[in-house]
Amino acid sequence: MRSLLGVRSIAGQVFAVQAIVVVMLIAVATLALVLQARNDSEQEAINRSTAVAQAFAGSPGTAEAMTSRHPTTVLQPRAEQVRKRAGLDFVVAANPKGVRYTHPLPQQIGHQLVADYKPALRGKVVTETVQGPLGKEVQATVPIRNAHGTVVGVICAGMTAQDVSGRVTRQLPLVLGAAGGALALATAGTALVGRRLRRQTHGLGPAQMTRMYEHHDAVLHSVREGVLIVDGEGNLVLVNDEARRLLDLPPDAEGRHVRELGLEPRTAELLSSGRVATDEVHLAGDRLLAVNQRSTQWNGGAPGSVATLRDTTELRALSGQAEVAEKRLRLLYDSGAKIGTTLDVSRTTEELTRFAVPWFADFATVDLVEPVLRGDEPSGDAMCRTATFGIRDDHPLWRVGKRTTYVRGAPQALGFGAGRPVLDADIRDFAGWQEQDPEQAVRIVEYGIHSMITIPLRARDVTLGIATFWRSEKSEPFDQEDVALTEELVARAAVAIDNARRYTREHSMAVTLQRSLLPQGLPEQDALEVAHRYLPAQAGVGGDWFDVIPLPGARVALVVGDVVGHGLHAAATMGRLRTAVHNFSALDLPPDEILTHLDELVTRFDQDQVAADTDAAPISGATCLYAIYDPVTGRCTMARAGHPGPALMYPDGTVTFPEVPLAPPLGLGGEPVETTELLLPEGSRLALYTDGLVEDRDRDRDTGLRLLRSTLAGHPGRGPEEICQAVFDAMASSHPRDDIALLVARTHLLDPDSVAEWDVPSDPAAVAGIRSEAARRLAGWGLEESGFTTELILSELITNAIRYGSGPIHVRLVRDRSLICEVADGSSTSPHLRRAASTDEGGRGLFLVAQFAQRWGTRYTPTGKIIWAEQPLGAATPGPEPTEEDLLAQWGDLDDVSM
């Protein structure tokens, strides 16, 4: 290295360093090529072994030979022939237990195969590297299937690692030759670079260039004019003493970006831009500097610029006007970043008043036409004070919320009607502005306010309101230059206010639509005590939704879902999905089938959108969790498609997150939906939510779940309403980026005395006994008036189950808000209602059930079906009085339709 640094010129040193780097790079590249060649050879060996093994396994006679009496006699010669033709080291056939039938080394026949062959028995192809009889081997194992598709053995084919490495060795001369050529080419390029560097440095050595820099530095320090050199990236490369003094630069200024040096924005912009400037006047503290700037790239120089500074004391007379102009320009520039930061109308008006005070006014007020605050188009001249701000709080100006209509002579009315600014330089003259409120006008003047500008807030040729600016402590009144500046400022603010108004209108429409599509009230039922919360996103409502759906048999369905996207389309899509869930629930399907139907429905929705060539966002990716709770057994069955799982709070206050199998989101399909069943004790609380609750800008899902667990745990006495409020207080942001839906339900179990069950033999004679048992149970419940109708319904349903169904047959009576009769059997065929002709001997049974029950239906179970019928409590029959034919029908003499 010493000899390397001992080279006389800088170009020579660079040449030597580059040569060393090139050699190292080529050595690394050569090593990489060798490793790549080795990897390619090994992959080629695996591919060839796989192809040969699959061809041999599928060749005619292989499967038959595997099951013959002497498989080795048949397969050994064939395997060796294939091995030699394919250029492999071994082709081995083995039975399903891994015992070899063939091998290049005959003594290995009958021994256990050295391979992971069990996946191959399941129909998979296995590639691996093992230590076998021939040494380290690269091999592929494939299944042998007979004509029926059954795996009867495996074929293992491959090569030794030594053979694979030999292929790489044969490629080394070519690789080394290429490396030598690259070295020669790189050396030539390095020589050319060194030659050019020598030409640019004129062959100077380090000592000569050091002396040149010292002379240059001395010259810079002796010049009484500021000099700065900035590179192409805007970093300060060199600054002399005079420039440090004029700009008041810190000691470590060199090497930093010019925007980080605390310079005036205009000066920093000039220095970082590198543009040509001639005697531009810039403010630096109490100095006015004349700045000249030129590029350093002439005659092949490095990119950048050199600037010179002169203190122009002769321009001090103009400094006051320049300062005012600079301040106004800065005012307009800063307003763009501080006004309109949100899409809230009131917040934007507050930002306007807070920005104006105390820059150029002591007080500022904004009055908007009332429809603008609701997001509507401005109409009428009634206004509302939306923002008031000043240097003091004891001012006599109207406060926020004041509603008024300005009289014709008021400056606000003149400006609003004509759409132009109105200047009242000295309001102490009372030249008409006091007509709005003479008493308040006197208080304003006595307070010390003396000058006023009124500017209409106009955007897109519509006047939204009025902005008024006042001066009190500033002695100079407003002038026409202030009017021009204020008008431009208010025009920018008006555009932001109008954008916020339009957003408010669309957001209100979307919120109204979504809230109209969400449940307006919870249905009455006794199985669950339910509370809910919904919070729309800040950026616009989305598709989060929830529902509580009563089901037959006193059961209740809880549903929570989320549609991708935000806005009206997401809200409308949510309504379509919620309607579909209601329709599917009416069929009394289990959760997994309902989610499967929803998945197919979402797929059709997306296909319709594609066919219609609309630009609406696809629905695919919507999520849903569907749960059914049975208060008779306390069991809750649930399934989910892409949705977060529920939180379960036990009566003792412990919290768990039950494992519910996760299916893909709706519209993606491809995988079956699975259900899980939980046994919930009395008083358990179930929390269903959307991902907006646990995920936010400042926390991920895991953090959110931990926070949810800590919020729910340890409070066994809290009800659903209290839980909802506690969760929202702890987790819901005031400006969420996504919708939040929360549904909390506390479970209740029916009194065992309210349920009666009987097993029924498959004998029509047993109907009378069940009817009598049911009558006694109804009498015990105090429901004697419903006895006749109930006996009639039970007779028909049990008779149908005996004649057309299959065992076992089970009857259940449930007393809830209604009286529920259920007859279960082992058949999955559903009965159908029809009207029997006068000449038919049967077919009236189910018709009678439909006449005398409030509603009836069929529910399928894993072991069959349940026919159910509901009657209102305390009523004998919801339909007509039974006739003689009805009395005969209760004895089961009439046939129903086939089941």
mmCIF file of all heavy atoms in Angstrom, residues 413-448:
data_model
loop_
_atom_site.group_PDB
_atom_site.id
_atom_site.type_symbol
_atom_site.label_atom_id
_atom_site.label_comp_id
_atom_site.label_asym_id
_atom_site.label_seq_id
_atom_site.Cartn_x
_atom_site.Cartn_y
_atom_site.Cartn_z
ATOM 1 N N ALA A 413 -73.283 43.566 3.847
ATOM 2 C CA ALA A 413 -74.344 43.368 2.860
ATOM 3 C C ALA A 413 -73.896 43.860 1.486
ATOM 4 O O ALA A 413 -74.182 43.229 0.466
ATOM 5 C CB ALA A 413 -75.617 44.099 3.310
ATOM 6 N N LEU A 414 -73.188 45.026 1.459
ATOM 7 C CA LEU A 414 -72.700 45.541 0.177
ATOM 8 C C LEU A 414 -71.709 44.568 -0.466
ATOM 9 O O LEU A 414 -71.775 44.278 -1.659
ATOM 10 C CB LEU A 414 -72.064 46.913 0.378
ATOM 11 C CG LEU A 414 -72.998 48.043 0.848
ATOM 12 C CD1 LEU A 414 -72.190 49.309 1.133
ATOM 13 C CD2 LEU A 414 -74.065 48.310 -0.209
ATOM 14 N N GLY A 415 -70.772 44.060 0.341
ATOM 15 C CA GLY A 415 -69.788 43.130 -0.204
ATOM 16 C C GLY A 415 -70.402 41.817 -0.629
ATOM 17 O O GLY A 415 -70.053 41.251 -1.662
ATOM 18 N N PHE A 416 -71.380 41.306 0.157
ATOM 19 C CA PHE A 416 -72.018 40.039 -0.181
ATOM 20 C C PHE A 416 -72.854 40.167 -1.451
ATOM 21 O O PHE A 416 -72.841 39.272 -2.306
ATOM 22 C CB PHE A 416 -72.898 39.594 0.988
ATOM 23 C CG PHE A 416 -73.571 38.272 0.766
ATOM 24 C CD1 PHE A 416 -72.880 37.079 0.917
ATOM 25 C CD2 PHE A 416 -74.913 38.216 0.379
ATOM 26 C CE1 PHE A 416 -73.501 35.853 0.706
ATOM 27 C CE2 PHE A 416 -75.540 36.997 0.163
ATOM 28 C CZ PHE A 416 -74.828 35.818 0.329
ATOM 29 N N GLY A 417 -73.580 41.295 -1.562
ATOM 30 C CA GLY A 417 -74.442 41.458 -2.732
ATOM 31 C C GLY A 417 -73.661 41.729 -4.006
ATOM 32 O O GLY A 417 -73.974 41.179 -5.061
ATOM 33 N N ALA A 418 -72.626 42.572 -3.925
ATOM 34 C CA ALA A 418 -71.865 42.941 -5.127
ATOM 35 C C ALA A 418 -70.725 41.974 -5.415
ATOM 36 O O ALA A 418 -70.170 41.978 -6.523
ATOM 37 C CB ALA A 418 -71.313 44.360 -4.975
ATOM 38 N N GLY A 419 -70.342 41.154 -4.453
ATOM 39 C CA GLY A 419 -69.247 40.220 -4.650
ATOM 40 C C GLY A 419 -67.901 40.900 -4.758
ATOM 41 O O GLY A 419 -67.001 40.414 -5.451
ATOM 42 N N ARG A 420 -67.712 42.049 -4.073
ATOM 43 C CA ARG A 420 -66.441 42.775 -4.116
ATOM 44 C C ARG A 420 -66.094 43.270 -2.722
ATOM 45 O O ARG A 420 -66.965 43.412 -1.853
ATOM 46 C CB ARG A 420 -66.537 43.951 -5.078
ATOM 47 C CG ARG A 420 -67.642 44.936 -4.747
ATOM 48 C CD ARG A 420 -67.700 46.096 -5.715
ATOM 49 N NE ARG A 420 -68.802 46.990 -5.430
ATOM 50 C CZ ARG A 420 -68.804 47.922 -4.499
ATOM 51 N NH1 ARG A 420 -67.727 48.079 -3.724
ATOM 52 N NH2 ARG A 420 -69.839 48.710 -4.314
ATOM 53 N N PRO A 421 -64.814 43.533 -2.461
ATOM 54 C CA PRO A 421 -64.410 43.991 -1.124
ATOM 55 C C PRO A 421 -64.893 45.412 -0.839
ATOM 56 O O PRO A 421 -65.090 46.220 -1.757
ATOM 57 C CB PRO A 421 -62.879 43.909 -1.173
ATOM 58 C CG PRO A 421 -62.528 43.925 -2.609
ATOM 59 C CD PRO A 421 -63.667 43.341 -3.365
ATOM 60 N N VAL A 422 -65.077 45.679 0.458
ATOM 61 C CA VAL A 422 -65.489 47.012 0.901
ATOM 62 C C VAL A 422 -64.504 47.454 1.975
ATOM 63 O O VAL A 422 -64.285 46.744 2.960
ATOM 64 C CB VAL A 422 -66.922 46.995 1.460
ATOM 65 C CG1 VAL A 422 -67.288 48.377 2.019
ATOM 66 C CG2 VAL A 422 -67.910 46.571 0.390
ATOM 67 N N LEU A 423 -63.880 48.650 1.774
ATOM 68 C CA LEU A 423 -62.907 49.206 2.717
ATOM 69 C C LEU A 423 -63.524 50.382 3.451
ATOM 70 O O LEU A 423 -64.076 51.301 2.832
ATOM 71 C CB LEU A 423 -61.652 49.666 1.959
ATOM 72 C CG LEU A 423 -60.647 50.503 2.759
ATOM 73 C CD1 LEU A 423 -60.037 49.683 3.894
ATOM 74 C CD2 LEU A 423 -59.550 51.051 1.840
ATOM 75 N N ASP A 424 -63.456 50.338 4.771
ATOM 76 C CA ASP A 424 -63.857 51.470 5.615
ATOM 77 C C ASP A 424 -62.643 51.798 6.466
ATOM 78 O O ASP A 424 -62.424 51.211 7.532
ATOM 79 C CB ASP A 424 -65.058 51.100 6.477
ATOM 80 C CG ASP A 424 -65.746 52.346 7.050
ATOM 81 O OD1 ASP A 424 -65.059 53.387 7.152
ATOM 82 O OD2 ASP A 424 -66.932 52.258 7.383
ATOM 83 N N ALA A 425 -61.796 52.713 5.960
ATOM 84 C CA ALA A 425 -60.504 52.993 6.578
ATOM 85 C C ALA A 425 -60.655 53.560 7.981
ATOM 86 O O ALA A 425 -59.817 53.318 8.851
ATOM 87 C CB ALA A 425 -59.693 53.942 5.703
ATOM 88 N N ASP A 426 -61.727 54.335 8.232
ATOM 89 C CA ASP A 426 -61.918 54.937 9.565
ATOM 90 C C ASP A 426 -63.375 54.786 9.937
ATOM 91 O O ASP A 426 -64.227 55.580 9.535
ATOM 92 C CB ASP A 426 -61.508 56.407 9.543
ATOM 93 C CG ASP A 426 -61.438 57.001 10.958
ATOM 94 O OD1 ASP A 426 -61.808 56.285 11.919
ATOM 95 O OD2 ASP A 426 -60.995 58.143 11.093
ATOM 96 N N ILE A 427 -63.687 53.757 10.701
ATOM 97 C CA ILE A 427 -65.083 53.495 11.058
ATOM 98 C C ILE A 427 -65.589 54.456 12.118
ATOM 99 O O ILE A 427 -66.794 54.497 12.396
ATOM 100 C CB ILE A 427 -65.251 52.042 11.546
ATOM 101 C CG1 ILE A 427 -64.451 51.813 12.839
ATOM 102 C CG2 ILE A 427 -64.827 51.050 10.472
ATOM 103 C CD1 ILE A 427 -64.662 50.437 13.444
ATOM 104 N N ARG A 428 -64.693 55.268 12.679
ATOM 105 C CA ARG A 428 -65.115 56.232 13.698
ATOM 106 C C ARG A 428 -65.958 57.343 13.112
ATOM 107 O O ARG A 428 -66.586 58.126 13.836
ATOM 108 C CB ARG A 428 -63.883 56.808 14.395
ATOM 109 C CG ARG A 428 -63.153 55.775 15.250
ATOM 110 C CD ARG A 428 -61.808 56.270 15.718
ATOM 111 N NE ARG A 428 -60.870 56.461 14.596
ATOM 112 C CZ ARG A 428 -59.571 56.707 14.741
ATOM 113 N NH1 ARG A 428 -59.055 56.788 15.962
ATOM 114 N NH2 ARG A 428 -58.798 56.869 13.690
ATOM 115 N N ASP A 429 -66.006 57.432 11.759
ATOM 116 C CA ASP A 429 -66.850 58.445 11.120
ATOM 117 C C ASP A 429 -68.318 58.025 11.080
ATOM 118 O O ASP A 429 -69.181 58.852 10.721
ATOM 119 C CB ASP A 429 -66.360 58.708 9.690
ATOM 120 C CG ASP A 429 -64.984 59.364 9.673
ATOM 121 O OD1 ASP A 429 -64.610 59.946 10.707
ATOM 122 O OD2 ASP A 429 -64.288 59.264 8.638
ATOM 123 N N PHE A 430 -68.610 56.735 11.380
ATOM 124 C CA PHE A 430 -69.986 56.225 11.345
ATOM 125 C C PHE A 430 -70.659 56.567 10.021
ATOM 126 O O PHE A 430 -71.708 57.218 9.973
ATOM 127 C CB PHE A 430 -70.810 56.777 12.515
ATOM 128 C CG PHE A 430 -70.354 56.295 13.856
ATOM 129 C CD1 PHE A 430 -69.574 57.108 14.674
ATOM 130 C CD2 PHE A 430 -70.685 55.022 14.308
ATOM 131 C CE1 PHE A 430 -69.133 56.664 15.910
ATOM 132 C CE2 PHE A 430 -70.246 54.584 15.545
ATOM 133 C CZ PHE A 430 -69.471 55.403 16.351
ATOM 134 N N ALA A 431 -70.052 56.098 8.937
ATOM 135 C CA ALA A 431 -70.553 56.430 7.599
ATOM 136 C C ALA A 431 -71.559 55.403 7.094
ATOM 137 O O ALA A 431 -71.636 55.143 5.892
ATOM 138 C CB ALA A 431 -69.381 56.528 6.620
ATOM 139 N N GLY A 432 -72.312 54.785 7.967
ATOM 140 C CA GLY A 432 -73.369 53.858 7.560
ATOM 141 C C GLY A 432 -73.191 52.452 8.071
ATOM 142 O O GLY A 432 -74.168 51.691 8.126
ATOM 143 N N TRP A 433 -72.001 52.082 8.449
ATOM 144 C CA TRP A 433 -71.782 50.696 8.881
ATOM 145 C C TRP A 433 -72.487 50.383 10.187
ATOM 146 O O TRP A 433 -72.785 49.237 10.505
ATOM 147 C CB TRP A 433 -70.284 50.425 9.045
ATOM 148 C CG TRP A 433 -69.657 51.170 10.197
ATOM 149 C CD1 TRP A 433 -69.182 52.444 10.173
ATOM 150 C CD2 TRP A 433 -69.477 50.684 11.524
ATOM 151 N NE1 TRP A 433 -68.702 52.812 11.408
ATOM 152 C CE2 TRP A 433 -68.868 51.723 12.267
ATOM 153 C CE3 TRP A 433 -69.753 49.497 12.180
ATOM 154 C CZ2 TRP A 433 -68.536 51.609 13.608
ATOM 155 C CZ3 TRP A 433 -69.426 49.372 13.516
ATOM 156 C CH2 TRP A 433 -68.826 50.412 14.226
ATOM 157 N N GLN A 434 -72.799 51.431 10.986
ATOM 158 C CA GLN A 434 -73.405 51.225 12.296
ATOM 159 C C GLN A 434 -74.892 50.928 12.210
ATOM 160 O O GLN A 434 -75.525 50.611 13.234
ATOM 161 C CB GLN A 434 -73.182 52.476 13.159
ATOM 162 C CG GLN A 434 -74.053 53.670 12.807
ATOM 163 C CD GLN A 434 -73.552 54.415 11.587
ATOM 164 O OE1 GLN A 434 -72.543 54.038 11.004
ATOM 165 N NE2 GLN A 434 -74.267 55.457 11.194
ATOM 166 N N GLU A 435 -75.493 50.972 11.020
ATOM 167 C CA GLU A 435 -76.933 50.761 10.905
ATOM 168 C C GLU A 435 -77.334 49.324 11.285
ATOM 169 O O GLU A 435 -78.488 49.094 11.644
ATOM 170 C CB GLU A 435 -77.389 51.065 9.469
ATOM 171 C CG GLU A 435 -77.220 52.527 9.082
ATOM 172 C CD GLU A 435 -77.664 52.786 7.653
ATOM 173 O OE1 GLU A 435 -78.210 51.832 7.033
ATOM 174 O OE2 GLU A 435 -77.464 53.904 7.160
ATOM 175 N N GLN A 436 -76.452 48.401 11.215
ATOM 176 C CA GLN A 436 -76.785 47.013 11.563
ATOM 177 C C GLN A 436 -77.157 46.906 13.041
ATOM 178 O O GLN A 436 -78.144 46.265 13.390
ATOM 179 C CB GLN A 436 -75.590 46.094 11.260
ATOM 180 C CG GLN A 436 -75.817 44.633 11.583
ATOM 181 C CD GLN A 436 -76.845 43.999 10.665
ATOM 182 O OE1 GLN A 436 -76.899 44.331 9.478
ATOM 183 N NE2 GLN A 436 -77.673 43.111 11.199
ATOM 184 N N ASP A 437 -76.346 47.515 13.912
ATOM 185 C CA ASP A 437 -76.599 47.466 15.361
ATOM 186 C C ASP A 437 -75.936 48.697 15.974
ATOM 187 O O ASP A 437 -74.757 48.675 16.323
ATOM 188 C CB ASP A 437 -76.036 46.182 15.964
ATOM 189 C CG ASP A 437 -76.468 45.973 17.410
ATOM 190 O OD1 ASP A 437 -76.837 46.968 18.063
ATOM 191 O OD2 ASP A 437 -76.421 44.816 17.877
ATOM 192 N N PRO A 438 -76.684 49.810 16.086
ATOM 193 C CA PRO A 438 -76.077 51.069 16.567
ATOM 194 C C PRO A 438 -75.424 50.941 17.931
ATOM 195 O O PRO A 438 -74.347 51.502 18.159
ATOM 196 C CB PRO A 438 -77.272 52.035 16.602
ATOM 197 C CG PRO A 438 -78.237 51.482 15.603
ATOM 198 C CD PRO A 438 -78.093 49.995 15.682
ATOM 199 N N GLU A 439 -76.031 50.209 18.865
ATOM 200 C CA GLU A 439 -75.445 50.085 20.205
ATOM 201 C C GLU A 439 -74.124 49.321 20.158
ATOM 202 O O GLU A 439 -73.142 49.726 20.801
ATOM 203 C CB GLU A 439 -76.433 49.373 21.137
ATOM 204 C CG GLU A 439 -77.708 50.158 21.402
ATOM 205 C CD GLU A 439 -78.621 49.440 22.360
ATOM 206 O OE1 GLU A 439 -78.227 48.339 22.839
ATOM 207 O OE2 GLU A 439 -79.713 49.959 22.644
ATOM 208 N N GLN A 440 -74.102 48.262 19.368
ATOM 209 C CA GLN A 440 -72.851 47.522 19.264
ATOM 210 C C GLN A 440 -71.789 48.358 18.557
ATOM 211 O O GLN A 440 -70.599 48.286 18.886
ATOM 212 C CB GLN A 440 -73.069 46.203 18.514
ATOM 213 C CG GLN A 440 -71.817 45.321 18.545
ATOM 214 C CD GLN A 440 -71.773 44.330 17.392
ATOM 215 O OE1 GLN A 440 -72.280 44.626 16.318
ATOM 216 N NE2 GLN A 440 -71.161 43.183 17.633
ATOM 217 N N ALA A 441 -72.190 49.171 17.582
ATOM 218 C CA ALA A 441 -71.238 50.012 16.856
ATOM 219 C C ALA A 441 -70.534 50.964 17.815
ATOM 220 O O ALA A 441 -69.313 51.189 17.723
ATOM 221 C CB ALA A 441 -71.963 50.786 15.759
ATOM 222 N N VAL A 442 -71.278 51.523 18.753
ATOM 223 C CA VAL A 442 -70.663 52.428 19.732
ATOM 224 C C VAL A 442 -69.651 51.666 20.588
ATOM 225 O O VAL A 442 -68.545 52.160 20.860
ATOM 226 C CB VAL A 442 -71.754 53.081 20.598
ATOM 227 C CG1 VAL A 442 -71.124 53.884 21.726
ATOM 228 C CG2 VAL A 442 -72.649 53.979 19.748
ATOM 229 N N ARG A 443 -70.009 50.458 21.020
ATOM 230 C CA ARG A 443 -69.086 49.677 21.843
ATOM 231 C C ARG A 443 -67.816 49.324 21.062
ATOM 232 O O ARG A 443 -66.711 49.305 21.630
ATOM 233 C CB ARG A 443 -69.774 48.401 22.331
ATOM 234 C CG ARG A 443 -70.889 48.659 23.331
ATOM 235 C CD ARG A 443 -71.264 47.371 24.068
ATOM 236 N NE ARG A 443 -71.727 46.338 23.149
ATOM 237 C CZ ARG A 443 -73.009 46.182 22.783
ATOM 238 N NH1 ARG A 443 -73.938 46.999 23.268
ATOM 239 N NH2 ARG A 443 -73.353 45.220 21.954
ATOM 240 N N ILE A 444 -67.955 49.057 19.770
ATOM 241 C CA ILE A 444 -66.785 48.708 18.952
ATOM 242 C C ILE A 444 -65.828 49.893 18.887
ATOM 243 O O ILE A 444 -64.603 49.745 19.043
ATOM 244 C CB ILE A 444 -67.236 48.264 17.549
ATOM 245 C CG1 ILE A 444 -67.924 46.895 17.623
ATOM 246 C CG2 ILE A 444 -66.060 48.215 16.577
ATOM 247 C CD1 ILE A 444 -68.505 46.426 16.310
ATOM 248 N N VAL A 445 -66.361 51.070 18.635
ATOM 249 C CA VAL A 445 -65.505 52.254 18.531
ATOM 250 C C VAL A 445 -64.890 52.586 19.891
ATOM 251 O O VAL A 445 -63.695 52.926 19.991
ATOM 252 C CB VAL A 445 -66.315 53.444 17.981
ATOM 253 C CG1 VAL A 445 -65.477 54.731 18.034
ATOM 254 C CG2 VAL A 445 -66.759 53.165 16.554
ATOM 255 N N GLU A 446 -65.668 52.485 20.954
ATOM 256 C CA GLU A 446 -65.124 52.763 22.279
ATOM 257 C C GLU A 446 -64.043 51.749 22.662
ATOM 258 O O GLU A 446 -63.128 52.070 23.423
ATOM 259 C CB GLU A 446 -66.253 52.734 23.321
ATOM 260 C CG GLU A 446 -67.239 53.891 23.188
ATOM 261 C CD GLU A 446 -68.374 53.793 24.180
ATOM 262 O OE1 GLU A 446 -68.493 52.704 24.814
ATOM 263 O OE2 GLU A 446 -69.136 54.762 24.326
ATOM 264 N N TYR A 447 -64.137 50.553 22.131
ATOM 265 C CA TYR A 447 -63.128 49.525 22.416
ATOM 266 C C TYR A 447 -61.784 49.851 21.775
ATOM 267 O O TYR A 447 -60.741 49.378 22.206
ATOM 268 C CB TYR A 447 -63.646 48.174 21.923
ATOM 269 C CG TYR A 447 -62.780 46.999 22.303
ATOM 270 C CD1 TYR A 447 -62.817 46.469 23.590
ATOM 271 C CD2 TYR A 447 -61.927 46.412 21.370
ATOM 272 C CE1 TYR A 447 -62.031 45.393 23.936
ATOM 273 C CE2 TYR A 447 -61.133 45.330 21.707
ATOM 274 C CZ TYR A 447 -61.184 44.817 22.990
ATOM 275 O OH TYR A 447 -60.399 43.738 23.324
ATOM 276 N N GLY A 448 -61.817 50.708 20.723
ATOM 277 C CA GLY A 448 -60.585 51.108 20.068
ATOM 278 C C GLY A 448 -60.420 50.604 18.649
ATOM 279 O O GLY A 448 -59.406 50.868 17.995
#
